[in-house]
Amino acid sequence: MIYDASFDRATPISDEERKTRRDLLRDRVCELEYDALLLTPGSNMRYFFGLAWRATERLVAAMITPSRVIFICPKFEDSALLAVIGDRYETEWWEEHEDPAKLVTLLVHELGIQRLGIDPQLSYGLAHRLVELLSDCQCSDGTALVAPLRYRKSDAEIALLKSAKQLTLHVHQRIFEWIKPGIRASEIATMIDQLHRNGGADDGSTFCSVQFGTATAHPHGIPGDPELVEADIVLIDTGCQLDGYHSDITRTYALAKQPAAVEAHWALEKEAQRLAFEAAQLGVYCEEVDKTARAALAEAGLGPDYQLPGLPHRTGHGIGLDIHEGPYLVRGDRTELAPGMCFSNEPMIVVPEQYGIRLEDHFYMTEEGPQWFTEPQPDLYQPFS
């Protein structure tokens, strides 16, 4: 199967945009009365520095104060780090026999830091070690410093998210045109990965869940490699990354006529997704979108709440450099919807031991309200226009 790149590939995030992000972070450090933030490998470091470094047991970090940025790194990794950051920032190195937490402690004391925010993506072991050593410094979860800055995506971020989702939707369509009874789930997953790679994804499929028949009743699938039977309902959930930004799209369809109950629940799923989208208006609390979807299902006799048959999980999640990130479309999240926020919309219906139906698309908030990244699935049997 040959992939034709029929989508607009967005440009990567610029250095200038990342500089603006760091300036806003410094402002927030001051606003919330912190002295510094310790940032570690993960999506937060990638967001602010473009550094896609994999977290390991060896501490790599950036100490960010209102006036300075100091990178901390194993000495034997100096060439790898400097190849990315150049000479733009100060650096401190530690050798293999040394305790990097002690180096951080020394910096904290030298800089006079009294209140330190710690990247929530830092491992518990390293965070606990730092808290032990920094008994005279107030250490706390740095989520409040970074998460609100990431909630609202820039135009460049939305363009990358659009590109990633267009690619995955196109992959879904090619798979629908290709699959046939007798094919195994693993064969489909392999082809999806190859199509993502051919389309320019960072590293093929970020994930891929292929489910047939009764296995669709398990939201994230179950072990096994079944063959597709013509009468089966098919659920495929997959995504990729472009410049680190995620797609995550689910399609549920059938190759042969389904029982009336399946058709009715598929139509109800589509209606719940539509109502959730319409409920996502500026200023509305995130939890209200989830409440709207559940009310539609409850009115049809499903649920209530998380009871099955019904919707076993939240209606949606934020998406960006993390495939699941805040805020969330779930009860208790009273974040107000604002321009630039991006969400999945996936109020799944599960009938235990029989089938599950999930239609997952994403939308982003504009000054005029919600806009789809990808058009929702139009039909159970003809899932692509």
Side-chain angles (χ1 to χ4, degrees):
M1 185 186 298
I2 299 173
Y3 178 83
D4 57 319
S6 58
F7 72 100
D8 296 326
R9 176 69 182 254
T11 57
I13 300 299
S14 67
D15 289 341
E16 185 61 31
E17 178 163 332
R18 288 202 177 91
K19 180 181 181 303
T20 299
R21 295 172 179 179
R22 293 192 295 272
D23 290 343
L24 291 172
L25 176 61
R26 290 191 181 95
D27 291 344
R28 194 158 181 82
V29 166
C30 294
E31 177 187 350
L32 298 185
E33 299 181 342
Y34 283 79
D35 296 310
L37 169 68
L38 187 71
L39 206 62
T40 53
S43 59
N44 287 327
M45 184 170 280
R46 186 165 190 173
Y47 181 81
F48 291 106
F49 292 98
L51 185 61
W53 197 287
R54 184 173 63 88
T56 70
E57 80 283 4
R58 294 183 174 98
L59 178 66
V60 174
M63 182 75 77
I64 303 167
T65 77
S67 60
R68 298 170 70 180
V69 173
I70 305 170
F71 270 90
I72 301 156
C73 182
K75 183 64 174 71
F76 81 97
E77 296 272 29
D78 58 359
S79 58
L81 179 65
L82 293 173
V84 179
I85 68 171
D87 59 358
R88 288 173 289 177
Y89 309 108
E90 299 176 62
T91 53
E92 292 285 347
W93 313 106
W94 58 275
E95 300 288 1
E96 283 284 79
H97 67 283
E98 296 177 322
D99 181 353
K102 290 184 177 179
L103 175 56
V104 174
T105 302
L106 180 63
L107 281 173
V108 166
H109 291 153
E110 286 181 351
L111 296 170
I113 294 171
Q114 298 297 312
R115 189 180 184 202
L116 176 67
I118 296 178
D119 192 329
Q121 297 178 348
L122 180 63
S123 71
Y124 173 80
L126 279 169
H128 184 263
R129 174 68 172 151
L130 286 173
V131 171
E132 279 187 327
L133 292 174
L134 293 171
S135 57
D136 56 346
C137 175
Q138 181 184 349
C139 298
S140 58
D141 182 352
T143 297
L145 294 171
V146 298
L149 298 178
R150 291 183 55 185
Y151 283 174
R152 299 177 65 169
K153 273 58 177 180
S154 67
D155 290 345
E157 290 180 285
I158 287 174
L160 280 162
L161 287 165
K162 282 182 180 178
S163 288
K165 296 172 200 305
Q166 287 171 8
L167 170 54
T168 294
L169 184 62
H170 187 80
V171 168
H172 268 292
Q173 182 171 356
R174 297 302 302 275
I175 291 298
F176 173 70
E177 296 165 353
W178 173 73
I179 65 171
K180 59 184 178 181
I183 197 167
R184 290 195 176 276
S186 60
E187 294 178 78
I188 295 174
T190 298
M191 182 60 74
I192 288 172
D193 179 73
Q194 188 60 56
L195 288 171
H196 273 135
R197 290 177 188 277
N198 293 349
D202 290 353
D203 191 22
S205 298
T206 309
F207 70 98
C208 187
S209 176
V210 180
Q211 300 151 245
F212 306 143
T214 57
T216 61
H218 302 270
H220 288 156
I222 53 176
D225 189 19
E227 288 187 357
L228 176 61
V229 175
E230 186 173 23
D232 283 342
I233 191 169
V234 177
L235 189 156
I236 300 176
D237 184 1
T238 189
C240 69
Q241 289 176 277
L242 290 178
D243 196 30
Y245 285 85
H246 284 270
S247 62
D248 177 12
I249 298 175
T250 308
R251 289 292 178 260
T252 303
Y253 49 77
L255 305 181
K257 181 71 173 176
Q258 295 295 305
V262 173
E263 293 181 337
H265 279 148
W266 192 94
L268 178 60
E269 165 76 357
K270 182 172 175 61
E271 177 68 1
Q273 187 191 46
R274 182 187 69 82
L275 291 171
F277 175 79
E278 292 180 355
Q281 299 299 319
L282 294 176
V284 168
Y285 293 136
C286 285
E287 68 175 0
E288 290 299 320
V289 180
D290 181 74
K291 181 179 179 181
T292 297
R294 290 184 190 282
L297 300 183
E299 187 175 346
L302 300 180
D305 294 324
Y306 300 101
Q307 296 179 38
L308 301 181
L311 170 53
H313 55 63
R314 63 197 173 210
T315 293
H317 55 81
I319 192 166
L321 283 173
D322 288 307
I323 192 167
H324 293 173
E325 61 182 45
Y328 294 91
L329 305 180
V330 67
R331 181 187 307 162
D333 193 325
R334 292 177 64 81
T335 306
E336 293 185 7
L337 295 176
M341 291 182 177
C342 303
F343 300 94
S344 73
N345 182 350
E346 47 179 319
M348 184 180 192
I349 293 174
V350 170
V351 180
E353 308 304 324
Q354 296 185 46
Y355 55 83
I357 300 169
R358 182 166 66 244
L359 303 177
E360 180 183 10
D361 295 275
H362 294 73
F363 65 88
Y364 59 100
M365 300 302 298
T366 73
E367 295 289 351
E368 290 73 43
Q371 294 289 326
W372 289 113
F373 278 108
T374 50
E375 286 298 318
Q377 182 176 333
D379 186 80
L380 171 61
Y381 301 105
Q382 294 296 327
F384 303 96
S385 300

